[in-house]
Amino acid sequence: MEIKQDKAKYFGPYPNRYSARQTMELLQRLYPLCRCEGKLGRPCLYYQMGLCIGPCDHEVTPEMYQKQITKITQFLEGKASKVKQQLKVEMKRQIEALHFERAAELRDIILAIEETVEKQHIIFGDFSSRDIVGYSERNGYRSFHVFFVRNGAINGRKWGILSPDQQQSMEEAIIAFYQQPNNMLPKELLIPADLDQSYLKTALGIPIIVPKRGKKLEQVHLANENSSSALHAHAHLLEKFPNGLREAK
């Protein structure tokens, strides 16, 4: 899917369509927006199910609607853990007030957050948005691998292979990758030490980090290993189909 050059705010990437759908359904339960025509006096089914903000039942001001939008944005920007903690406090309050049905609803939402957002392995504790680049070379072929880290967890990846007749440098290949409309720039990019940090920073306009130790360096090494594996598989296909990879289709 290509991202339109408009004023909308995009979030992602998600590892697959199912994951994106799960997140959307969870947000509809947490922070419902308008899902009806908004005719007062005729509460819609979605409102009765708690999935509509309810302009069909009561007045919804622009400020109220914007508040929901802000909460959704914060959630998608990595504040799901804070939301979960707030829900736990509210669930406890509902139990103390003997409102067990509402407490059960909150419990289900908390479980949904854990299933939808927290089920991925967290590799960074700061929940920042960053990409991790690795690359490798083999017999004139070069490969680069990009991990997408969102909310502290790897939730997507892409890779590319450059043939011997492609003259662009690895830095130029990475820049071209992010110039594609469906590849969003992260807040920062982690790269191996032998890539040109200054050149990438100038071209992409984001912080470029060369990790020296710790988890960040481990993930760069992992991206390098994935690039090497991709080249190994590519070489195997070339050996099997020497007249071109099209025969493999």
Side-chain angles (χ1 to χ4, degrees):
M1 181 188 75
E2 290 192 359
I3 295 176
K4 297 179 180 179
Q5 301 300 314
D6 53 23
K7 295 182 179 180
K9 197 165 188 177
Y10 292 88
F11 297 92
Y14 290 90
N16 51 57
R17 186 176 299 177
Y18 176 70
S19 176
R21 170 66 64 176
Q22 274 191 312
T23 303
M24 185 180 71
E25 291 177 352
L26 172 60
L27 287 170
Q28 286 172 345
R29 295 174 64 186
L30 277 172
Y31 310 118
L33 299 175
C34 180
R35 299 188 67 179
C36 64
E37 296 180 359
K39 295 181 179 179
L40 279 173
R42 298 179 58 185
C44 69
L45 178 61
Y46 286 117
Y47 176 69
Q48 296 176 43
M49 296 170 60
L51 300 176
C52 176
I53 196 171
C56 51
D57 180 76
H58 55 271
E59 181 184 4
V60 176
T61 65
E63 291 76 19
M64 293 168 62
Y65 206 83
Q66 183 57 48
K67 188 175 181 180
Q68 294 292 83
I69 296 293
T70 300
K71 289 179 179 179
I72 291 171
T73 301
Q74 291 175 342
F75 185 96
L76 292 172
E77 287 178 342
K79 296 182 173 62
S81 296
K82 182 178 180 180
V83 172
K84 177 183 169 183
Q85 186 58 38
Q86 292 171 343
L87 290 172
K88 284 185 174 181
V89 172
E90 177 62 16
M91 182 178 69
K92 183 178 179 181
R93 192 179 71 83
Q94 294 293 337
I95 291 174
E96 291 174 348
L98 304 182
H99 298 158
F100 299 116
E101 185 174 343
R102 176 55 181 161
E105 292 175 357
L106 293 171
R107 177 205 60 201
D108 291 343
I109 293 175
I110 291 169
L111 291 174
I113 291 176
E114 293 174 348
E115 173 64 20
T116 304
V117 180
E118 299 180 353
K119 64 181 180 181
Q120 298 176 5
H121 176 59
I122 302 298
I123 59 173
F124 296 117
D126 58 3
F127 298 97
S128 183
S129 165
R130 60 171 60 91
D131 287 359
I132 305 168
V133 171
Y135 81 98
S136 62
E137 301 180 13
R138 179 189 177 106
N139 298 330
Y141 287 88
R142 293 167 295 158
S143 170
F144 66 91
H145 200 102
V146 182
F147 288 135
F148 305 117
V149 178
R150 302 295 181 267
N151 299 330
I154 295 176
N155 74 345
R157 64 195 70 198
K158 288 185 179 180
W159 56 275
I161 291 180
L162 305 178
S163 62
D165 60 343
Q166 291 178 277
Q167 299 300 315
Q168 65 184 154
S169 67
M170 184 54 62
E171 289 85 354
E172 290 170 335
I174 293 170
I175 292 167
F177 173 82
Y178 283 109
Q179 288 174 339
Q180 298 176 24
N182 56 337
N183 292 330
M184 297 174 61
L185 278 172
K187 292 183 179 179
E188 65 180 29
L189 184 66
L190 309 187
I191 64 170
D194 48 356
L195 291 181
D196 192 328
Q197 182 181 15
S198 178
Y199 179 57
L200 287 171
K201 182 177 181 180
T202 300
L204 297 177
I206 59 173
I208 307 296
I209 298 174
V210 178
K212 304 297 183 183
R213 64 181 72 84
K215 289 185 178 180
K216 291 182 179 180
L217 182 59
E218 291 175 5
Q219 294 304 315
V220 169
H221 287 164
L222 181 60
N224 284 337
E225 291 172 5
N226 275 263
S227 296
S228 180
S229 297
L231 276 185
H232 181 77
H234 186 264
H236 178 71
L237 285 174
L238 285 176
E239 292 173 2
K240 189 173 182 180
F241 302 98
N243 294 326
L245 291 180
R246 289 184 180 180
E247 295 183 16
K249 296 182 180 180

